[in-house]
Amino acid sequence: MYPRTIILLTLTCMAFAADKPIPIISQTQDISPDGSFSSRWETGNGIIVQEDGVLKNPGQKDAEAEEVRGSASWTAPDGTKINLGWLANENGANFQGAHLPTPPPPQPIPPLIQRALDWIATHPYKDEKNRL
C-alpha cells in the first residue's frame, strides 16, 4: 500500500495547487474477500491511475504477502508525458519510469579486497566459541 499512498498524496497536492477543482471522469474499485483488489481512476486533467493487488500464500504463516502492481500517467508542467509503474511485494518496492534517475554502474572491487574475499571464502572460520 505504500506506493499507493505516495501517488495519492502527490496527486492530492497537485489538485490543491490547481486554480479550480479537477473532476474525476471515471473511478472503479473492487475489493474481494480473498484479499485481492483493483482500483482505477481518471481525472479531467489527464491523470490516470490503476492498481491491482493480490494476497500471495493466504493462510501460510510467514509466507503470506501482498503484491501490488500499479501505474500512473500524467502530463508534467513542461508538457512531458510521465508514465510511472510499480511493483511492491515482500521484496520491497520497484518503480519504473523513463523520467526516474538511473543508478551509476557498480564499481569494480579493488584487487586487494577481492583477494581478501577469495581467501575468506576458501578458509572458513572453524572456531565456534569466538563466533558471533
Side-chain angles (χ1 to χ4, degrees):
M1 288 195 187
Y2 183 70
R4 182 176 0 151
T5 304
I6 293 172
I7 298 298
L8 289 176
L9 286 174
T10 302
L11 296 175
T12 301
C13 291
M14 290 170 58
F16 280 122
D19 292 336
K20 58 183 177 178
I22 299 169
I24 301 293
I25 295 173
S26 66
Q27 180 177 4
T28 60
Q29 295 175 332
D30 181 40
I31 300 173
S32 299
D34 66 358
S36 63
F37 71 91
S38 66
S39 176
R40 290 164 178 52
W41 49 276
E42 181 177 355
T43 65
N45 63 350
I47 298 170
I48 301 171
V49 177
Q50 63 182 21
E51 190 170 59
D52 298 297
V54 63
L55 183 62
K56 297 178 359 181
N57 306 314
Q60 296 181 18
K61 185 178 179 182
D62 299 329
E64 191 172 88
E66 187 172 6
E67 181 169 280
V68 179
R69 291 181 185 273
S71 65
S73 62
W74 66 91
T75 303
D78 66 358
T80 305
K81 186 74 172 172
I82 304 292
N83 293 305
L84 177 67
W86 61 88
L87 169 65
N89 57 26
E90 68 275 12
N91 299 316
N94 182 311
F95 296 90
Q96 298 175 344
H99 66 290
L100 297 176
T102 56
Q107 299 296 313
I109 298 174
L112 288 176
I113 293 176
Q114 185 61 57
R115 187 172 142 198
L117 292 171
D118 293 341
W119 188 89
I120 291 168
T122 57
H123 298 84
Y125 192 77
K126 298 194 183 197
D127 186 9
E128 291 296 324
K129 68 179 179 179
N130 293 327
R131 192 167 197 174
L132 295 176

